[in-house]
Amino acid sequence: MKTTKLVTMLAVLAMTSVATAAEDGFKISGDFAASYFYEGAHGTNNGVGTGAANDLNNNKFSLDMAELNIEKSLGNSGINIGIAYGNWANTFNSVIDSVTTPGVKPTLNVTNTYFWHKIGDTGITAKLGKFETGIGAETYNFMDNLNYTRSYGFGLQPLFVTGLNVMYSQTMWDAGVTIGNSTNNTDYDENHNRTVQISAAVRPIEGLAVNVNYLFGKDGADGLAQTDLTVLNGVVNYKWNMMNFALDYTSRSTDTVIGPSAKVDDSSIALYAGYGMDNWGAG
């Protein structure tokens, strides 16, 4: 007999961020995010096993992510070093424990670690290293998110890229291009893969920003199943006082080109609303 089980879940969430005052171009900052989940339904699951299908870290405290950022400015240049540890730190290319499942085992990872250089007053800035793609309204960082949880579209968006970014910025618009060593979304050596990302943003009025990103190239493990990857993303963001609203559209297409062909098309539309707090959040 088929049974239907109602699962209740309670999450207690906490976030905080700290930063030192920048002296001589040197700055240290950090974020901490943790949660506790309680799942009320347990027992047999149609006679197959115990617990619900999504019993990952149920009834358990979770260190979601603790991050440390070190910044040093050197005139028109600078370096940024980012290190993260926690259950969410394994949602992008990990450097220590590469065989993990998100939300199951804490992982140490490198986040935004790069060298940047601003070319005089031209409005052009170059960045070399590992950094965020800027695709999507959501980020890996809890303090920068409008919501603590993530939407379906978050899983479609490449989070990081290792490569070179050149951005041209003006008061009301930006445009840039990134040439990357794949998207760092897998735990494999990806030296044979390349991606190109084209970015544009406009800010027509105060508080309103429209961002468009198009990324294409190859992803996957060297010598294994390589994949043609295409991602199109558009975000409209409006900020009014402490309120922040965003509309996100993401479309991703993947097509395996080594091994059995397996083309998959996904898309997502998400609407966000949040109340901003400077150094902490709870929900």
Side-chain angles (χ1 to χ4, degrees), residues 112 127 130-135 139-141 144 159-161:
N112 287 291
K127 187 161 52 176
K130 180 179 180 180
F131 44 85
E132 291 179 81
T133 62
I135 295 177
T139 78
Y140 76 99
N141 187 296
D144 295 334
L159 302 179
F160 282 87
V161 65

Side-chain angles (χ1 to χ4, degrees), residues 82-85 89-100 106-111 113 130 162 184 186-188:
I83 300 174
Y85 179 79
N90 57 16
T91 59
F92 42 93
N93 181 251
S94 59
V95 295
I96 286 187
D97 189 355
S98 61
V99 187
T100 55
T107 301
L108 182 66
N109 204 332
V110 174
T111 55
T113 300
K130 180 179 180 180
T162 300
N184 291 144
T186 66
D187 295 321
Y188 303 107

Side-chain angles (χ1 to χ4, degrees), residues 204-266:
I205 61 174
E206 183 178 358
L208 177 64
V210 180
N211 299 273
V212 177
N213 285 277
Y214 180 67
L215 182 145
F216 60 93
K218 294 188 182 300
D219 209 359
D222 288 350
L224 298 177
Q226 290 183 308
T227 300
D228 284 335
L229 173 69
T230 303
V231 178
L232 175 64
N233 172 259
V235 177
V236 179
N237 189 287
Y238 181 70
K239 187 173 184 179
W240 178 68
N241 293 329
M242 298 296 288
M243 293 297 297
N244 205 332
F245 306 91
L247 175 65
D248 182 298
Y249 170 77
T250 301
S251 174
R252 185 184 72 176
S253 176
T254 59
D255 189 4
T256 302
V257 294
I258 295 181
S261 178
K263 186 174 182 179
V264 178
D265 295 320
D266 283 302

